[in-house]
Amino acid sequence: MALKLPIYLDHNATTPLDKRVLEAMMPYLTTDFGNAASRNHAFGWKAEAAVENAREQTAGLIGATAKDIVFTSGATESNNLAIKGAAEMYREKGNHIITDLIEHKAVIDPCKRLEQAGFQVTWLKPDRFGVVSAEQVAEAVTDKTILISIMAANNEIGTLNPVAAIGAVAKQRGVLFHCDATQAVGKIPMDVEAMGIDLMSLSAHKIYGPKGIGCLYVRRKGPRVRLTCQMDGGGHERGMRSGTLNVPGIVGLGAACVICRCEMADEAPRLTGLRDRLHQTIAAGLDYVFLNGHPTQRLPNTVNLSFAYVEGEALMMKMKDVAVSSGSACTSASLEPSYVLRAIGVSDELAHSSIRFGVGRFTTGEEVDYAAAAVVRGVNELRELSPLYEQARENRRSQAKA
Amino acid sequence: MPYSDKVMDHFTNPRNVGSLDKNALDVGTGIVGAPECGDVMKLQIQVDSDGRIVDAKFKTFGCGSAIAASSLATEWLKGRTVQQATELRNSDIANELSLPPVKIHCSVLAEDAVKAAIEDWKRKNARSDASTGQMEETKRT
Ligand SMILES: Cc1ncc(COP(=O)(O)O)c(C=O)c1O
């Protein structure tokens, strides 16, 4: 079968909608359009039943009970609700929050806003693989700490944090633990009970569901977590998130969660195989390739590589049939390279040379091989253009002579 | 980010890629930018005894627009006099390539590279012919 171009290897940015998810959603986009809050007619009942079913399905993927799920517009909103909502609610108890330097902006920016409002934020520095340890978290806790917010898996490098160990620290010290699990959910097992998580964000579009829908897990027992709502209105979602429910989106999230729960055990090793095949094929064809992130404690689908002497955006232009993303400044408006790579000690030069590859549910071995070949070709062509590569080669030659 | 056809053209078929002998007296070399900032351009000119640029070469580490800007600059330099080359402005490059505002710095870098190459050539040739007094002048700059 002919390869269909372009090839999508940017599954950490978003994923295509699984056809089975679309099928589940279709009735709620067409005939069953009711408002889940309409208590007095069949349209409303049907919508409400669909929402409650999806709530069970979503909870089922993360070891929660249905009542703990608060639907939101996605992980950005969930993170905002968790962090600002907890900070405002527990302000009397303390004003200290612990997070780290390589969180998604949707955690960093709410924490920065709280800093401006007088909260103290400790920004933990991860190790060179991107891991935040439970010991670091434990050391940072004070009697004023009200919230720990540490992600399960990093979106740029895929590194996994020791979530259960951090959860244990939080429990022991009586501090709430929020975990942005947007990248981890559906790819690795996440269990709010086993991991001691009190608040957890996830998003449907990262797990083959629709965009614009996600949820926040909010623990109701042991302890009961309360949040100040960030959206005032009709009091939907236990008063934590007002607004008419996005019924088709919610149904899609539920369906996506069911598929992940059933298929994760098969899918994860398959993704790991494709990921490593991509990495190995590239590494076999090129010198000066560096892995960013943890060699083993990593999402099954993610590999972030730096190709020394080649700029990331130029490399993406070279392989225009392969969709990936780069930590190079040229891909952002800020002209600064990735803050994540910087924080784990990658030099700016290598950060500019980084590419993130994310394989997904529908990625084939053939696609991976095509992409690997495109990378090798592109890097070789750009190195022929690179004054830095020329210099490195000259240095090597004169070193060899000496 | 969508690229203009001209950027794509220079990026896919870069003109005048390569290196001239940087120790040769008739060659001027300019290296500008910094790897930490994501762009380094090396641009070289070869100048004949009449002060005309007979060859130009470049190597660039940088994004597609940086590569296109340096490629275009070398194309433009060939056949011109050194005097004409000093008149090249970054806005000429930016306009020709339809660079968006965030990429203007690529054209600035190309102008800097051209200037640096000319300076280098002048310095070398002043040194070899110190009696003209040109050396004093270039040293100050
Ligand atoms: C770790 C992480 N958190 C939060 C988000 C934001 O998610 P959403 O697009 O659902 O707002 C993303 C996605 O970009 C992410 O990767």
Side-chain angles (χ1 to χ4, degrees):
Chain A
M1 207 181 78
L3 208 55
K4 208 168 141 262
L5 298 175
I7 292 165
Y8 189 74
L9 291 184
D10 200 12
H11 288 85
N12 301 75
T14 194
T15 56
L17 195 67
D18 190 305
K19 284 198 177 60
R20 295 166 288 180
V21 173
L22 178 63
E23 253 165 52
M25 292 170 68
M26 274 312 269
Y28 301 94
L29 289 160
T30 52
T31 49
D32 302 335
F33 58 84
N35 185 326
S38 298
R39 289 281 150 78
N40 301 308
H41 51 66
F43 294 91
W45 301 331
K46 222 169 181 177
E48 192 190 9
V51 166
E52 293 318 312
N53 182 46
R55 208 184 290 282
E56 296 276 353
Q57 294 172 325
T58 305
L61 179 60
I62 59 170
T65 49
K67 285 184 176 157
D68 299 336
I69 302 296
V70 173
F71 290 116
T72 66
S73 63
T76 299
E77 184 186 340
S78 299
N79 289 343
N80 272 269
L81 175 57
I83 293 166
K84 293 175 186 166
E88 285 173 34
M89 179 59 73
Y90 296 102
R91 181 151 213 171
E92 301 294 293
K93 256 185 89 181
N95 69 341
H96 181 229
I97 293 165
I98 298 169
T99 186
D100 65 89
L101 292 168
I102 64 169
E103 292 291 314
H104 192 273
K105 287 285 182 194
V107 166
I108 290 182
D109 287 356
C111 288
K112 280 192 180 156
R113 191 174 292 277
L114 290 173
E115 250 178 349
Q116 283 165 8
F119 284 85
Q120 299 287 321
V121 178
T122 297
W123 301 93
L124 297 175
K125 186 173 159 48
D127 70 12
R128 69 194 172 97
F129 301 117
V131 179
V132 177
S133 72
E135 291 72 32
Q136 275 178 288
V137 175
E139 269 170 36
V141 175
T142 72
D143 55 0
K144 290 272 184 283
T145 310
I146 50 172
L147 182 70
I148 296 164
S149 181
I150 305 286
M151 70 204 318
N154 183 270
N155 45 299
E156 286 191 31
I157 53 179
T159 296
L160 306 178
N161 277 319
V163 174
I166 294 169
V169 168
K171 280 274 123 19
Q172 195 201 344
R173 305 297 292 270
V175 178
L176 293 182
F177 176 30
H178 167 248
C179 182
D180 178 354
T182 309
Q183 291 288 342
V185 163
K187 299 192 192 97
I188 60 167
M190 290 298 296
D191 186 307
V192 292
E193 290 306 329
M195 295 175 162
I197 296 168
D198 300 309
L199 294 156
M200 190 168 95
S201 307
L202 62 96
S203 186
H205 76 94
K206 307 283 189 189
I207 56 170
Y208 309 91
K211 292 169 180 58
I213 188 75
C215 77
L216 180 64
Y217 159 79
V218 185
R219 178 177 290 282
R220 278 168 59 256
K221 278 203 205 97
R224 178 183 184 84
V225 178
R226 295 166 66 221
L227 298 174
T228 303
C229 73
Q230 303 294 307
M231 189 72 84
D232 295 311
H236 307 72
E237 299 296 277
R238 295 195 274 141
M240 289 196 226
R241 205 281 191 172
S242 289
T244 297
L245 294 182
N246 171 359
V247 179
I250 289 168
V251 168
L253 171 59
C257 286
V258 170
I259 296 170
C260 286
R261 198 180 63 200
C262 299
E263 300 185 356
M264 195 189 313
D266 292 330
E267 187 166 288
R270 196 183 71 84
L271 294 180
T272 306
L274 288 171
R275 176 196 78 181
D276 292 345
R277 173 165 165 180
L278 179 70
H279 186 180
Q280 282 154 13
T281 313
I282 291 171
L286 291 169
D287 48 8
Y288 303 111
V289 176
F290 304 97
L291 173 71
N292 300 312
H294 200 285
T296 55
Q297 292 298 106
R298 185 151 44 95
L299 286 175
N301 82 314
T302 312
V303 57
N304 186 314
L305 300 174
S306 281
F307 302 95
Y309 316 121
V310 163
E311 199 276 329
E313 194 206 44
L315 182 53
M316 291 200 295
M317 274 173 84
K318 277 282 174 202
M319 37 183 218
K320 53 184 186 315
D321 288 333
V322 183
V324 293
S325 75
S326 170
S328 146
C330 278
T331 60
S332 72
S334 66
L335 293 181
E336 299 263 300
S338 153
Y339 67 90
V340 172
L341 296 182
R342 273 190 163 174
I344 64 168
V346 174
S347 71
D348 281 3
E349 182 178 348
L350 282 178
H352 282 294
S353 303
S354 70
I355 298 280
R356 177 187 68 186
F357 303 87
V359 297
R361 181 170 292 164
F362 309 109
T363 305
T364 65
E366 209 185 355
E367 287 180 323
V368 161
D369 293 344
Y370 181 97
V375 170
V376 171
R377 198 179 331 112
V379 169
N380 280 329
E381 284 175 19
L382 288 170
R383 280 183 179 167
E384 281 313 305
L385 279 183
S386 171
L388 304 177
Y389 189 61
E390 178 178 67
Q391 215 164 49
R393 253 192 321 204
E394 274 170 19
N395 291 348
R396 229 182 328 163
R397 245 182 258 131
S398 57
Q399 266 164 18
K401 255 189 236 153
Chain B
M1 193 185 303
Y3 302 96
S4 70
D5 291 346
K6 289 230 172 84
V7 169
M8 278 318 284
D9 177 33
H10 278 277
F11 179 73
T12 26
N13 302 298
R15 331 286 201 258
N16 309 309
V17 175
S19 298
L20 300 168
D21 176 8
K22 63 177 185 289
N23 299 316
L25 212 54
D26 60 345
V27 170
T29 302
I31 301 179
V32 296
E36 313 81 80
C37 305
D39 315 272
V40 177
M41 278 183 197
K42 185 185 84 168
L43 192 145
Q44 296 181 299
I45 51 172
Q46 186 178 8
V47 184
D48 71 8
S49 52
D50 298 333
R52 192 166 290 278
I53 297 170
V54 290
D55 202 1
K57 295 273 184 218
F58 85 94
K59 284 205 174 191
T60 291
F61 161 80
C63 64
S65 304
I67 289 170
S70 29
S71 167
L72 176 66
T74 55
E75 202 174 46
W76 190 87
L77 288 170
K78 277 167 96 169
R80 310 224 171 192
T81 63
V82 171
Q83 182 53 41
Q84 286 168 329
T86 58
E87 288 157 17
L88 177 66
R89 291 289 164 268
N90 77 283
S91 52
D92 303 332
I93 296 171
N95 292 340
E96 174 72 12
L97 295 174
S98 315
L99 294 181
V102 294
K103 297 293 187 187
I104 296 297
H105 72 274
C106 297
S107 63
V108 174
L109 211 58
E111 181 188 321
D112 290 349
V114 171
K115 287 199 174 127
I118 294 171
E119 282 307 309
D120 182 52
W121 174 80
K122 281 190 176 162
R123 192 159 41 237
K124 278 183 184 169
N125 287 280
R127 203 164 283 153
S128 68
D129 186 12
S131 63
T132 63
Q134 204 180 353
M135 187 168 89
E136 289 309 304
E137 200 178 308
T138 47
K139 254 189 178 170
R140 257 182 272 121
T141 56

